[in-house]
Amino acid sequence: MIKLIASDIDGTLVPDGSDKINPEIFSVILKLKEYGVHFAAASGRPWKSIARLFEPIRDQIFYIAENGAYVGARGRELFVTPMNTEEVYQIVRQVRELKDCDIMVSGRDVVYVESKNQVLLHYLIDGYHNDVVQTEDITAFRDENGQVPEFIKISIYHQGYDAIHAAGDTMIPLWGEKLKVVTAGKEWLDMMQPEVNKGAALQELQESLFITRAETMVFGDNLNDIEMIRRAEHSYAIGNAREEVKQAARFVADTNVNDGVLQVLKELLKTFE
């Protein structure tokens, strides 16, 4: 019997950077919870962005945020994996030298950007609904108490279809042995501590809730979802997923624009009713 469902958001539940989610999924998640099924929204997004997207049920779900660097529920942190500050600063300086790339560094509750790129800012504020702090220099930024923020993820943005591979070609050779470096969409490259991924975060939830792989259902579309897909026997790639994800998953659902996840959840709900 399924006891835990984890779904990626961008590219899986909604188009990348969108806040347009079918509200029917909220009632389905709540009905499944009545039967003892937990739901975790698993994303590269910060937890506040996830909470705002799932506002009607924000206190009824788990957040696997920042690709697994942050796990929380009901506004409480459960597991957080910070990065080395000096390494973050070094990467910030390197990304400044990359052509047409912008950098976003995630703290626990806000994201920090140096960019004035209006397309990026629109994504972050109006699409993802993040709390954004703009600063001239992330490496010099101090909070209201004069303290250096704690950073948990770096995201590199390169506007344009599949353009982010150019950044990956530079950053993966430099940092691939020290950090987890993974594409998180056609325009994003994410960097976290090496032990951080959605699969490891899902495993923490499984062990905390005494739920097995056989009792877990997962949905994803991109490379940063593969570790999570491997943590579930009931694993689904969305119809618009990358081929590598389809190969890793046991099943293929409909596309995100056709509410593939919702279709499967509604069928699952029928097995309980």
Side-chain angles (χ1 to χ4, degrees):
M1 184 179 77
I2 301 300
K3 296 182 180 178
L4 175 61
I5 299 164
S7 178
D8 173 55
I9 295 177
D10 292 286
T12 300
L13 280 176
V14 301
D16 284 342
S18 171
D19 59 357
K20 306 303 181 185
I21 188 169
N22 188 334
E24 185 180 3
I25 199 168
F26 303 143
S27 61
V28 172
I29 289 171
L30 290 181
K31 288 176 183 176
L32 285 168
K33 189 172 184 182
E34 292 176 4
Y35 292 102
V37 183
H38 301 279
F39 183 86
S43 177
R45 298 183 183 214
W47 77 266
K48 284 188 177 180
S49 174
I50 298 173
R52 286 163 181 154
L53 185 66
F54 285 85
E55 180 63 36
I57 58 170
R58 61 182 295 164
D59 291 332
Q60 306 298 320
I61 65 173
F62 290 98
Y63 311 135
I64 297 177
E66 308 286 10
N67 282 330
Y70 181 106
V71 181
R74 298 188 178 187
R76 292 181 296 140
E77 298 175 359
L78 300 179
F79 312 104
V80 178
T81 307
M83 299 184 72
N84 178 282
T85 301
E86 289 306 317
E87 288 184 349
V88 171
Y89 288 169
Q90 188 175 351
I91 293 167
V92 168
R93 296 184 184 106
Q94 289 170 345
V95 174
R96 289 173 183 163
E97 302 303 315
L98 296 179
K99 183 179 179 181
D100 298 325
C101 286
D102 291 294
I103 192 163
M104 177 182 81
V105 183
S106 297
R108 289 173 180 257
D109 297 312
V110 301
V111 298
Y112 303 89
V113 296
E114 298 176 341
S115 176
K116 295 180 175 63
N117 181 335
Q118 292 304 307
V119 174
L120 173 61
L121 294 174
H122 170 72
Y123 267 143
L124 298 181
I125 298 170
D126 300 319
Y128 292 114
H129 299 287
N130 290 320
D131 288 350
V132 176
V133 173
Q134 286 183 275
T135 175
E136 293 294 325
D137 184 356
I138 290 172
T139 68
F141 182 83
R142 301 294 181 268
D143 64 21
E144 64 273 14
N145 298 315
Q147 301 298 310
V148 175
E150 187 173 66
F151 304 118
I152 60 177
K153 192 190 74 175
I154 294 169
S155 296
I156 302 170
Y157 174 76
H158 189 157
Q159 184 180 345
Y161 186 81
D162 274 348
I164 197 59
H165 292 299
D169 290 343
T170 298
M171 302 308 291
I172 291 174
L174 290 174
W175 293 98
E177 294 184 1
K178 293 183 178 181
L179 299 173
K180 179 76 172 181
V181 186
V182 63
T183 56
K186 295 180 175 61
E187 299 176 323
W188 294 96
L189 187 77
D190 286 348
M191 307 174 71
M192 304 82 63
Q193 286 294 93
E195 68 272 22
V196 168
N197 61 72
K198 293 181 184 179
L202 179 60
Q203 183 176 358
E204 294 276 11
L205 277 184
Q206 288 171 319
E207 293 175 353
S208 298
L209 298 169
F210 302 100
I211 292 173
T212 67
R213 290 180 72 254
E215 296 168 326
T216 305
M217 179 179 285
V218 163
F219 300 87
D221 78 301
N222 216 315
L223 298 182
N224 61 338
D225 299 319
I226 288 179
E227 290 97 342
M228 181 172 69
I229 280 172
R230 291 173 177 157
R231 288 298 311 168
E233 287 191 11
H234 303 267
S235 56
Y236 287 82
I238 297 303
N240 52 279
R242 289 180 61 127
E243 188 59 35
E244 300 97 319
V245 182
K246 292 179 179 178
Q247 292 296 322
R250 289 186 63 195
F251 309 103
V252 177
D254 206 338
T255 61
N256 60 352
V257 295
N258 288 332
D259 289 323
V261 174
L262 180 58
Q263 290 180 33
V264 176
L265 296 190
K266 290 168 73 173
E267 289 301 312
L268 174 63
L269 183 59
K270 290 178 182 179
T271 67
F272 289 99
E273 294 177 332

